[in-house]
Amino acid sequence: MAALLTEYHLTDPDDMHPTLALARYGKRRRTDAFLGFWLAIIVEAQQMRPNQRTVRKHIEKFHAGRDVRTALDEVGRASFDAELQDAARIYYASGLEDSSYTSTLMRMKRLSAGQVREKAAMEVVRTAAFILDARLEPTLIRLLVTGYLQALAPHGPRELREAMERYPQTQEPLEAILGDHP
């Protein structure tokens, strides 16, 4: 059928379990619902006053979708979570090159590679803090961080540890995920 949605997608939907491909990409395979899942959470977490209720509704609506429920039933939590983790990887990998993500002042000032990595790390830490504050499923933190680390290897752990200093409540869960990463 169609080629990959972007150059960042590693698996062609045709090579995936059919119900998982349907849940993630839909019938026409023009969007990535799992990427949209993360986008909604990450964007809300970056707000001055993130709305926990809005994100809870988003997560509930996502999991209540017929295609998502079917995929979870047929492929199981581990395969489903692997796709959510991959969507987090895609978000950060694509952000490294996106002019909207890598610039400030309405695209007038380009950020350096280090600044982009710092921005991504801070975004992950803020999102982790939001997930903790909202008492959302803690597995989401692991999936987000692992996807981030895959996208920003080998730099990710260092920037993440630096960003954690500003959000001490995230240190324990994030260090548990980082483990032996230098």
Side-chain angles (χ1 to χ4, degrees):
M1 182 166 221
L4 295 176
L5 296 175
T6 71
E7 66 269 23
Y8 302 103
H9 286 83
L10 300 176
T11 305
D12 189 312
D14 289 337
D15 297 332
M16 296 172 67
H17 189 282
T19 57
L20 192 53
L22 183 62
R24 184 163 178 182
Y25 300 111
K27 287 182 182 179
R28 292 193 172 89
R29 298 185 180 172
R30 291 194 176 133
T31 61
D32 185 337
F34 287 31
L35 185 60
F37 173 85
W38 284 119
L39 187 60
I41 295 171
I42 292 166
V43 167
E44 189 61 40
Q46 307 316 305
Q47 303 302 312
M48 290 291 287
R49 291 190 178 110
N51 189 325
Q52 295 177 3
R53 194 168 66 185
T54 299
V55 170
R56 276 195 191 95
K57 284 182 181 180
H58 169 70
I59 292 171
E60 288 169 10
K61 183 178 177 184
F62 176 78
H63 281 98
R66 183 175 39 115
D67 295 337
V68 167
R69 285 193 328 265
T70 302
L72 269 167
D73 289 343
E74 289 190 22
V75 302
R77 176 55 70 179
S79 295
F80 188 86
D81 284 353
E83 293 299 320
L84 277 176
Q85 178 179 304
D86 183 58
R89 179 196 59 79
I90 290 168
Y91 174 80
Y92 286 107
S94 62
L96 294 174
E97 298 175 10
D98 182 350
S99 65
S100 294
Y101 194 86
T102 60
S103 61
T104 60
L105 298 171
M106 297 181 286
R107 298 185 190 170
M108 292 171 54
K109 181 183 176 213
R110 185 109 166 126
L111 299 173
S112 70
Q115 290 171 318
V116 173
R117 290 192 313 267
E118 288 172 21
K119 176 182 177 179
M122 187 54 83
E123 197 174 82
V124 169
V125 171
R126 279 189 191 131
T127 303
F130 177 69
I131 290 168
L132 290 170
D133 291 345
R135 292 179 174 78
L136 301 173
E137 178 61 43
T139 304
L140 292 174
I141 296 172
R142 181 182 52 78
L143 298 174
L144 178 67
V145 170
T146 305
Y148 158 83
L149 291 172
Q150 290 171 344
L152 276 83
H155 303 284
R158 182 177 51 81
E159 281 100 359
L160 200 57
R161 284 187 172 98
E162 290 171 5
M164 281 189 293
E165 293 173 7
R166 293 183 57 188
Y167 290 86
Q169 75 269 33
T170 64
Q171 195 158 7
E172 187 178 323
L174 293 181
E175 280 295 345
I177 297 164
L178 285 171
D180 295 329
H181 289 279

